[in-house]
Amino acid sequence: MSTKTDKLLSVLKLQPVVPVLIIDDVATAVPLARALVAGGLKAIEITLRTPAALDALRAVADQVEGAVAGAGTILNAAQYEQAVKAGSQFIVSPGTTQELIDAANDSEIPLLPGAATASEVMGLREEGYDVMKFFPAEQAGGASYLKSLSSPLAGTLFCPTGGISLSNAKDYLSLPNVVCVGGSWVAPKELVAKGDWAGITRLAAEAFALKG
């Protein structure tokens, strides 16, 4: 487990913000990913929420130099396998099931499992996980809730996702148990629709600067 945890942490520590993307049109995937990488955001989560997602993931994994493509919204073992075959280097789930844990155990590609309560975190720790996605972050209690978990559940690291923006990202990033945050604000739909890749690179660079 520790080798996979190291592999996952090496991805999550690349940057303070992991872009969470919903891609409707495969044609936008490569230029969008290139724009994010140019701004410093190399690890990119493409969510399996659209028919185009797997093809978009494959295109980014194959064609975007410097990108570390991951798959999000993975709900079952079949999707896990499809995402890995498409080139995903990390897998993200909104919650956790035994089926997903079994799929992760059978794969070389690490899972960032979702948790929202102390009991879920404890259950994942029993399975050998100490790096998790906290989702939906704002709706589940926000930075103050996550801060309150840091002492009783010491040694657990989180990537909070859900409702996070440039304005509140630092509230999370300042916590000792947060390794990075996930956010969709770095790739707004209107900029993607216009093909404003320079605008997206600026937003990515602004997000990358939160590291300081």
Side-chain angles (χ1 to χ4, degrees), residues 17-83:
V17 181
V18 175
V20 179
L21 308 180
I22 299 173
I23 296 177
D24 294 304
D25 180 1
V26 179
T28 64
V30 168
L32 172 55
R34 284 185 178 143
L36 291 166
V37 170
L41 305 186
K42 294 178 179 180
I44 296 166
E45 178 188 332
I46 296 170
T47 60
L48 262 62
R49 300 185 198 179
T50 67
L54 282 171
D55 287 335
L57 179 62
R58 197 173 288 109
V60 171
D62 290 347
Q63 298 175 44
V64 183
E65 192 177 343
V68 180
T73 322
I74 298 295
L75 306 178
N76 53 52
Q79 289 181 335
Y80 203 117
E81 189 180 352
Q82 288 173 328

Side-chain angles (χ1 to χ4, degrees), residues 6-211:
D6 290 345
K7 196 187 285 187
L8 181 62
L9 280 174
S10 71
V11 172
L12 300 180
K13 287 180 175 177
L14 285 171
Q15 63 218 39
V17 181
V18 175
V20 179
L21 308 180
I22 299 173
I23 296 177
D24 294 304
D25 180 1
V26 179
T28 64
V30 168
L32 172 55
R34 284 185 178 143
L36 291 166
V37 170
L41 305 186
K42 294 178 179 180
I44 296 166
E45 178 188 332
I46 296 170
T47 60
L48 262 62
R49 300 185 198 179
T50 67
L54 282 171
D55 287 335
L57 179 62
R58 197 173 288 109
V60 171
D62 290 347
Q63 298 175 44
V64 183
E65 192 177 343
V68 180
T73 322
I74 298 295
L75 306 178
N76 53 52
Q79 289 181 335
Y80 203 117
E81 189 180 352
Q82 288 173 328
V84 170
K85 280 184 178 170
S88 181
Q89 293 183 56
F90 62 101
I91 300 288
V92 186
S93 62
T96 314
T97 63
Q98 192 59 49
E99 182 185 339
L100 274 177
I101 288 170
D102 291 345
N105 287 341
D106 290 339
S107 177
E108 289 298 307
I109 302 302
L111 170 67
L112 178 66
T117 67
S119 295
E120 289 170 356
V121 173
M122 288 165 66
L124 282 166
R125 281 167 61 121
E126 284 180 5
E127 294 285 348
Y129 287 87
D130 48 26
V131 185
M132 304 168 201
K133 167 175 166 162
F134 175 55
F135 176 83
E138 281 291 285
Q139 297 82 352
S144 60
Y145 177 91
L146 206 49
K147 184 180 182 181
S148 70
L149 294 183
S150 63
S151 181
L153 298 170
T156 311
L157 288 173
F158 296 94
C159 171
T161 304
I164 298 177
S165 63
L166 185 65
S167 62
N168 64 5
K170 277 199 167 175
D171 297 341
Y172 289 93
L173 291 168
S174 65
L175 299 177
N177 56 345
V178 168
V179 61
C180 63
V181 300
S184 56
W185 84 87
V186 291
K189 276 188 173 179
E190 59 273 18
L191 293 192
V192 175
K194 285 192 296 186
D196 185 357
W197 312 124
I200 287 171
T201 294
R202 276 194 300 276
L203 289 174
E206 193 177 37
F208 185 78
L210 290 168
K211 204 166 195 166

